[in-house]
Each structure stands twice: as C-alpha cells, then as structure tokens.
Amino acid sequence: MLQELSHMDRITQLQDEIQRLLTIMSSTIAYLTARSTFLQVSEQIPITKIRNPDKYDSPELFEANKNELVQDLIVKAKQIEYLIQSLPVPEPEEQQANRLQALERQMQDANEEYIQAVDRAKNLHRKISEFLRIMLDNADGPVGLVP
C-alpha cells in the first residue's frame, strides 16, 4: 500500500510538472508575441503595423530572453522525463486482472460481513425493543422474576 502511495505521489508530481511546463510554454508564447517587433519576412508582404519602441525588446535582449526561455523549457522537459522514468513498470494485464478479482472477492466478503452485522444489529434492536416494551407494560408490578 505504501508503495502504491509512493507511485501516486510520483504521478501527482508528474501532473504538477506538466502543469508548470504548460505555464512556461504559455508565458513564453505571451512574451514572444508581446515583446517582439514586426519584421518583414518577404518583399511581397509589406509591414502594415509598427510597434512603439518601448513595447518591444532590443534584438540582443530579445534573443537572450528567448534563449533563457528555451533553457527553462528544456530543464522542465528533462524533469518530466526523469519523473516518467521513475514510474513503475506497468504490471502485466493478466496480473492486474487477478489482483482485481481478488479485490472483488474481498469486497464481496466485506459486504457479506456488513449485511450480517446489520442483521445482527436489527435483531438485537428488536429484542431490546421487545424487552423494553415488556418492562414498560409491567411497570406497575414485578417483571417476570417471581421468587
């Protein structure tokens, strides 16, 4: 059971790291679209819009930031890869089916025990209720214990 919790912790870590990777990717796209300037890539397609110089970074700063974002993405991807490698090898399908059948039997046994316990509780409740009814009905005199 403890080992399964450890695997679940790894899966949770993996989910968290994937979420962080997506956040980095989203931030990267936002930065690249917000802080870049428009460049003409073809002579047939003119630039129709010009950004204010304080709205975009210098080419050197933009390139440095771009490289830093790429490094962040690579580091996060490697962390995710490491977490994936640390996950346990999936057990064979036949073994999973056997384990599930055993769990099903245990659940059925527990359910039968529960039903028996509920029946015992109902039976005891009925007996106690009858006894209390008899005691209350005979409150004026002795209760069936005659010396």
Side-chain angles (χ1 to χ4, degrees):
M1 181 71 163
L2 185 60
Q3 191 174 11
E4 287 180 14
L5 288 176
S6 174
H7 297 324
M8 294 308 291
D9 289 345
R10 288 186 194 145
I11 291 173
T12 301
Q13 283 180 315
L14 183 59
Q15 290 172 329
D16 291 345
E17 293 303 318
I18 290 172
Q19 184 64 41
R20 287 186 191 108
L21 177 68
L22 293 173
T23 301
I24 291 171
M25 292 173 90
S26 173
S27 299
T28 300
I29 292 171
Y31 171 79
L32 292 175
T33 56
R35 301 302 294 177
S36 65
T37 186
F38 299 110
L39 298 175
Q40 189 167 356
V41 291
S42 172
E43 290 184 19
Q44 290 86 13
I45 305 172
I47 296 177
T48 59
K49 189 174 182 182
I50 297 177
R51 278 202 172 145
N52 195 346
D54 62 335
K55 298 285 183 182
Y56 62 89
D57 292 337
S58 68
E60 298 82 22
L61 178 62
F62 186 76
E63 192 64 32
N65 287 339
K66 194 167 60 169
N67 288 335
E68 182 180 342
L69 292 169
V70 167
Q71 288 302 316
D72 290 346
L73 286 169
I74 290 171
V75 167
K76 192 55 65 182
K78 285 182 179 181
Q79 289 173 347
I80 289 171
E81 184 178 11
Y82 174 78
L83 285 171
I84 290 171
Q85 295 300 320
S86 71
L87 289 174
V89 176
E91 62 183 326
E93 191 173 323
E94 183 178 323
Q95 192 176 0
Q96 284 181 7
N98 292 339
R99 192 165 53 92
L100 287 174
Q101 286 175 348
L103 288 172
E104 178 71 26
R105 282 191 298 273
Q106 289 176 356
M107 190 173 67
Q108 288 172 350
D109 292 344
N111 194 34
E112 288 174 13
E113 289 176 19
Y114 171 76
I115 289 170
Q116 290 172 358
V118 168
D119 288 342
R120 278 194 308 268
K122 286 180 181 178
N123 192 20
L124 286 172
H125 180 267
R126 183 182 50 77
K127 287 180 180 179
I128 291 172
S129 295
E130 287 176 13
F131 180 74
L132 288 174
R133 193 172 304 111
I134 290 170
M135 284 184 63
L136 290 173
D137 289 345
N138 295 330
D140 297 336
V143 180
L145 294 177
V146 180

